[in-house]
Amino acid sequence: MQTQQLRYFLEVAKTKNITIAARNLYISQPSLSQQIINLEKELEIPLLIRHSKSVALTDAGEQFALHAMRIINSMEQLSELMQRHNLLEEGTLRIGMLFIGGYVNLFQILKDYRLHYPGMDYRLTIDGSAALLNQLLNRSIHASFLIGSENQLKAHEELYYQKVMDDYYVAAISTQNPLSRRELLTIEDLRGESIIMPAPSSAFRRRLDQLFARAGFEPRILCETSQTDLVSQLTQQNFGIGFFSCTIARALQSRDLAVVPLEQTLYRTIYYATLKELLDYPSIRSFTEFVKDYPLSHL
């Protein structure tokens, strides 16, 4: 049974005349008659009572017409729904977002995109880079912003990625600490200071550990956290020295919190990543192109 046969039968049921129905359908009368006969053979029951100049529906034909109409209407609604998905008027976009997204204006990208496509349903998963990458690879989110390196992302052949922004780390120090008046800080300057270290799972933590190891001493660790607000509060209260990216530090700098560059520049890159297999899907393709063309001056 084909959709076209349902439409043909419904036209016959409406006009009660095969000749008129054929003319309305722009097909020949013999062809339409054969289509109805084939349908009846397939169903193994007569749908029409044929008269010399008209037709009537059998009881089965009336039931068939009723359900055929429902099927056609449902298919048209389904086609319209898929078209709305294609036009980005419907659908769900699942985006992974970093904890620091607000500080580095990543939320602004999503806000500006939503202005173009307000009918979409937006779902955010907020987490650290490692967790977001795993969720992306596990197909539980469609795309993500994350901190990483090109070598790390290149190792996953199924990923498409592009750089969003570069940044570098600075030390966050209470203005009560004399080190806050330095123009630059070395790792040796941190000897004996209480240090608020990033979480062990962070890429920056591993780089810091390497710097302390090269300097020949272990830092005096106050706590381990990558929660920006907590690091900010602890440093302002002079509990220890923490680390932020320069972008975040500028947003948090206050009379109680000084920002001092590190002599050893440690860069951080934020990437946007999605799966190559999703790039043909309208919403992912559209959002990916939007991120690619987004002006860096807005970040």
Side-chain angles (χ1 to χ4, degrees), residues 1-13 31-48 50 57 60-61 64-65 68 71:
M1 189 187 313
Q2 300 175 354
T3 305
Q4 186 180 56
Q5 289 177 306
L6 301 185
R7 296 184 186 277
Y8 285 172
F9 181 80
L10 288 173
E11 187 62 28
V12 172
S31 178
L32 178 57
S33 293
Q34 190 60 52
Q35 288 283 353
I36 302 301
I37 291 171
N38 292 341
L39 183 60
E40 290 175 315
K41 287 181 178 179
E42 180 181 349
L43 298 173
E44 298 182 347
I45 191 168
L47 300 176
L48 297 177
R50 292 162 174 84
L57 300 182
F64 186 86
I71 291 171

Side-chain angles (χ1 to χ4, degrees), residues 33-201:
S33 293
Q34 190 60 52
Q35 288 283 353
I36 302 301
I37 291 171
N38 292 341
L39 183 60
E40 290 175 315
K41 287 181 178 179
E42 180 181 349
L43 298 173
E44 298 182 347
I45 191 168
L47 300 176
L48 297 177
I49 301 172
R50 292 162 174 84
H51 307 292
S52 58
K53 295 184 179 180
S54 66
V55 296
L57 300 182
T58 64
D59 180 59
E62 290 179 356
Q63 290 296 310
F64 186 86
L66 177 64
H67 288 279
M69 180 61 72
R70 291 175 181 171
I71 291 171
I72 294 298
N73 287 340
S74 293
M75 292 186 67
E76 290 176 351
Q77 291 172 9
L78 181 59
S79 178
E80 181 182 344
L81 177 61
M82 293 302 99
Q83 183 64 14
R84 288 176 63 81
H85 273 263
N86 191 48
L87 296 174
L88 306 184
E89 297 173 352
E90 292 271 359
T92 300
L93 194 57
R94 295 182 173 88
I95 302 295
M97 185 64 69
L98 294 162
F99 290 119
I100 60 170
Y103 291 107
V104 293
N105 283 344
L106 295 180
F107 290 130
Q108 188 66 42
I109 297 178
L110 195 58
K111 177 183 177 182
D112 290 346
Y113 182 78
R114 190 173 60 174
L115 292 176
H116 292 280
Y117 305 105
M120 294 281 292
D121 183 19
Y122 298 88
R123 306 288 178 88
L124 291 183
T125 297
I126 301 178
D127 214 324
S129 294
L132 291 173
L133 179 57
N134 285 334
Q135 291 181 64
L136 181 58
L137 295 173
N138 291 334
R139 278 66 177 173
S140 57
I141 56 177
H142 297 138
S144 183
F145 296 95
L146 46 85
I147 298 168
S149 66
E150 186 165 0
N151 287 337
Q152 174 194 14
L153 298 176
K154 191 183 296 184
H156 302 283
E157 294 184 356
E158 64 266 55
L159 285 184
Y160 166 86
Y161 59 90
Q162 59 195 39
K163 184 187 295 185
V164 176
M165 63 184 297
D166 280 320
D167 208 347
Y168 60 92
Y169 288 97
V170 294
I173 309 175
S174 167
T175 52
Q176 300 175 47
N177 189 319
L179 290 178
S180 66
R181 293 182 283 278
R182 296 283 188 89
E183 292 186 2
L184 283 175
L185 275 184
T186 66
I187 293 298
E188 183 62 35
D189 291 331
L190 302 178
R191 187 186 292 269
E193 297 286 337
S194 292
I195 305 297
I196 304 165
M197 289 291 276
S201 61

Side-chain angles (χ1 to χ4, degrees), residues 173-175 232 235-236 248-259:
I173 309 175
S174 167
T175 52
S232 175
T235 52
Q236 288 186 68
I248 294 176
R250 285 198 298 264
L252 295 175
Q253 195 167 7
S254 68
R255 65 176 185 175
D256 298 317
L257 181 64
V259 173

